[in-house]
Amino acid sequence: MARFGVILVAAGQSSRFRDANYKKPFAPLAGRPVWLHSAEKFTDRDDVKQVVVVVAPEDREAFLEKFGASLAFMGITLAEGGAERADSVKNGLEKLAPEIDIVAIHDAARPCLATEWIDRVFAAGAKTGAAILATPVVSTLKRVGPDHVIRETVDRTGLWEAQTPQVFSRSLLERAFAAAAGRPATDEAGLIEALGHPVTVVPGSPINLKITSREDLRLAEQALKALPKPKLSGPAHPFAGDDIWR
């Protein structure tokens, strides 16, 4: 059986979230922080041997104070983020145990994830070395200038919107980071593509939304209700209550 490690990225600045109290991964969603909903999708899986949560250095102390019990209970490792997303993922990668051979990177701000989608992208990643969840673009696309005037209508044929998890052979991912040499990338699949390695697209779902604005929290709360409920076992979870992170 492949040994998966999951890097949960929660180190962004949440500039578009526009909330004075929370960054989006730590905002309350159905009574728990967004990041915890995401983490739980992986910690109960037999094929996941390690989960690493990456937070910004300035958030580390407060994160440990609020969620240290949850990290210990769930066996989650903490890593500090870097200046760019790629730096954060690389820092998380360095925290993975040597026996991990397949790495899944997931946005902490995507809490509405179903087990069947994870199963599919994990299987594809283990088979091909590189796979991501994505959905085909269905809306008409417009290229707009800085004056907010449409410049052109973009052909959407063959266009897909990338999601996470993105799943890669560990050795391939490490090689991609080494070859990137600081080159910016908006996701890890872009680094793999730059190596010339094919990346398999696994159909995801619009329900697997990424929380960007406060309004997205309301959508996510409804989406969570449509997902299969996780099976709970063992002692009660140490995290409870409404004081999530002020």
Side-chain angles (χ1 to χ4, degrees):
M1 177 185 290
R3 293 159 296 191
F4 289 84
V6 177
I7 299 173
L8 200 64
V9 186
Q13 294 305 307
S14 299
S15 57
R16 290 175 291 177
F17 193 58
R18 301 182 186 278
D19 190 300
N21 296 313
Y22 303 105
K23 290 184 178 180
K24 60 188 179 184
F26 315 127
L29 172 63
R32 287 180 294 167
V34 168
W35 80 268
L36 190 56
H37 286 281
S38 300
E40 286 177 335
K41 303 301 191 297
F42 301 99
T43 53
D44 290 337
R45 294 182 63 93
D46 291 337
D47 52 1
V48 173
K49 306 305 179 185
Q50 186 179 2
V51 175
V52 177
V53 176
V54 186
V55 301
E58 64 269 22
D59 293 333
R60 179 186 177 93
E61 184 177 349
F63 188 84
L64 283 172
E65 180 181 346
K66 289 293 184 183
F67 306 125
S70 293
L71 296 179
F73 180 81
M74 301 170 76
I76 295 175
T77 305
L78 184 63
E80 287 191 5
E84 304 292 340
R85 177 188 170 90
D87 301 316
S88 297
V89 173
K90 190 174 181 180
N91 290 350
L93 185 60
E94 292 172 353
K95 290 285 187 176
L96 290 176
E99 61 267 22
I100 300 298
D101 46 24
I102 305 290
V103 181
I105 300 110
H106 186 63
D107 299 320
R110 288 188 190 270
C112 306
L113 193 60
T115 298
E116 63 185 87
W117 309 334
I118 301 175
D119 289 343
R120 291 202 300 261
V121 74
F122 271 28
K127 180 179 180 180
T128 67
I132 71 169
L133 285 181
T135 56
V137 173
V138 296
S139 299
T140 299
L141 297 177
K142 305 290 186 180
R143 191 181 308 281
V144 179
D147 55 357
H148 297 280
V149 174
I150 294 173
R151 296 291 186 261
E152 65 173 318
T153 299
V154 180
D155 183 6
R156 70 185 180 213
T157 304
L159 295 181
W160 289 60
E161 180 180 349
Q163 299 182 340
T164 65
Q166 300 194 352
V167 183
F168 310 104
S169 156
R170 181 176 187 165
S171 59
L172 179 63
L173 186 60
E174 290 175 337
R175 186 155 57 93
F177 275 119
R183 183 177 62 251
T186 56
D187 69 354
E188 292 65 50
L191 298 178
I192 302 298
E193 294 165 42
L195 287 180
H197 191 286
V199 179
T200 300
V201 170
V202 176
S205 168
I207 296 175
N208 183 23
L209 61 92
K210 184 177 182 179
I211 292 173
T212 302
S213 68
R214 292 286 308 172
E215 289 75 15
D216 293 334
L217 286 172
R218 292 196 289 270
L219 294 175
E221 187 162 1
Q222 295 305 311
L224 286 174
K225 295 176 183 178
L227 295 175
K229 300 297 182 184
K231 296 179 181 179
L232 301 178
S233 61
H237 198 287
F239 177 82
D242 296 327
D243 183 19
I244 294 176
W245 193 350
R246 290 286 181 186

